[in-house]
């Protein structure tokens, strides 16, 4: 897929083509849905968790005046046993860092916990089903009747969650660079800040006391937006449709290459840099993408440099 800028420059975009080979348990079911994912950034998650629900709803209420339609995702809180606002994951499908952590243990590596005690075993994986589990202690675990042995001990789940809550957001860089300053103006003029909201405040209640009552600049609204057919994966998640994605925080995006050894962005890593990520924006972000394409080369470079300074 090739995109042309107004000044004649062109960029060739890539998208993932998923293929399964040598399946150990036979062909996938005909209704199986597949959507690639890369790991999201972990910067400043405790601060995002500390933002009140009321703040996010207020942002959603004022977005229609900007031609946007951000909406919260409402998801099931396993421990509270009720539906609450989601804010973590590519589609804001998890309500808290504790549940996000437990869900990742369970879905990604099959480790049970107090939140997700059932083994993550498809019916065809008989050895998985018959092995040791939190609720059916067998397979060489010894005498354990009446006891529950979760693979993720409560202390480990607590400590990993605390680690994520305590990770700081990186400081901005090159803020006095004239090119970065120019890029910030262009970012606003293109209305990128409608969804990538520059500033918000954390609430008075926080898992980390130091995260309460702070002004933060994550460049997100933590809301779902229709990003168009180009990014749609046809997989709903809670209230999110296949075309809707949570606005990704931009703080730390300029450090991705240094931290990860690559600069791949978006939910499946298809964008190799900030420019490509912008060009994939459609749907509600179509006008902002078009504004970027209409800029000259120097202005595009300035906007990208601003984003990379966050």
């Amino acid at each position: 897929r090739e995109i042309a800028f107004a000044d004649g420059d062109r960029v060739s975009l890539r998208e993932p083509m998923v293929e399964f080979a040598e399946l150990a348990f036979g062909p996938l079911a005909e209704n199986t849905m597949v959507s690639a994912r890369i790991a999201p950034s972990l910067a400043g998650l405790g601060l995002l968790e500390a933002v009140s629900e009321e703040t996010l709803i207020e942002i959603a209420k004022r977005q229609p005046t900007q031609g946007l339609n951000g909406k919260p995702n409402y998801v099931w809180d396993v421990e509270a046993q009720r539906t609450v606002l989601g804010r973590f994951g590519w589609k804001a499908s998890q309500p808290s860092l504790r549940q996000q952590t437990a869900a990742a243990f369970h879905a990604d590596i099959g480790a049970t916990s107090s939140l997700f005690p059932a083994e993550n075993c498809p019916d065809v994986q008989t050895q998985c089903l018959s092995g040791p589990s939190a609720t059916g202690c067998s397979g060489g675990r010894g005498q354990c009747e009446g006891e529950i042995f979760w693979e993720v001990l409560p202390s480990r789940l607590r400590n990993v969650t605390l680690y994520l809550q305590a990770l700081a957001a990186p400081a901005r860089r090159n803020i006095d660079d004239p090119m970065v300053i120019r890029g910030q103006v262009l970012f606003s003029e293109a209305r990128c800040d409608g969804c990538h909201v520059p500033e918000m405040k954390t609430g008075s209640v926080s898992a980390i006391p130091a995260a309460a009552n702070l002004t933060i600049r994550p460049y997100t609204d933590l809301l779902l937006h229709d990003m168009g057919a180009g990014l749609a994966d046809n997989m709903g998640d809670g209230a999110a449709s296949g075309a809707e994605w949570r606005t990704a925080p931009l703080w730390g995006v300029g450090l991705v290459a240094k931290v990860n050894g690559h600069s791949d962005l978006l939910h499946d890593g298809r964008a190799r840099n900030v420019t490509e990520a912008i060009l994939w924006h459609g749907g509600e972000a179509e006008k902002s993408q078009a504004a970027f394409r209409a800029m000259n080369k120097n202005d595009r470079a300035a906007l990208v440099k601003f984003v990379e300074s966050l």
Side-chain angles (χ1 to χ4, degrees), residues 46-48 50-52 55 200-205 211-216:
L47 295 171
L48 297 178
V51 176
S52 71
T55 294
M200 58 181 66
K201 294 184 181 296
T202 61
S204 58
V205 178
N213 300 311
L214 296 177
T215 297
I216 61 174

Side-chain angles (χ1 to χ4, degrees), residues 256-277:
V256 168
K258 177 174 287 189
V259 172
N260 293 342
H262 64 76
S263 56
D264 297 343
L265 301 171
L266 299 180
H267 64 279
D268 52 15
R270 68 178 66 192
R272 289 164 286 198
N273 49 53
V274 171
T275 294
E276 291 189 13

Side-chain angles (χ1 to χ4, degrees), residues 69-186:
N69 189 34
K71 69 178 187 182
N73 195 357
Y74 286 96
V75 299
W76 188 249
D77 187 313
V78 173
E79 292 184 296
Q81 287 292 291
R82 61 187 178 92
T83 300
V84 300
L85 185 142
R87 61 184 73 202
F88 299 109
W90 289 107
K91 290 181 180 279
S93 58
Q94 296 295 344
S96 65
L97 285 174
R98 178 175 168 84
Q99 186 165 312
Q100 168 76 9
T101 301
F105 270 124
H106 188 250
D108 296 346
I109 61 175
T112 59
S113 68
S114 59
L115 275 71
F116 300 103
E119 292 290 349
N120 185 13
C121 303
D123 292 341
V124 296
Q125 294 185 357
T126 55
Q127 287 184 313
C128 177
L129 289 166
S130 63
S133 71
T135 54
C137 195
S138 61
R141 288 290 187 103
Q143 300 300 316
C144 54
E145 292 182 8
E147 294 188 59
I148 295 177
F149 287 82
W150 295 305
E151 291 159 315
V152 182
L153 298 175
S155 59
R156 178 163 297 175
L157 177 59
R158 183 173 60 251
N159 290 340
V160 173
T161 301
L162 177 62
Y163 170 75
L164 295 175
Q165 289 170 330
L167 279 175
R172 281 197 60 192
R173 300 154 309 284
N174 306 317
I175 59 175
D176 296 324
D177 186 321
M179 196 171 178
V180 170
I181 295 171
R182 170 64 177 160
Q184 184 170 7
V185 172
L186 293 166

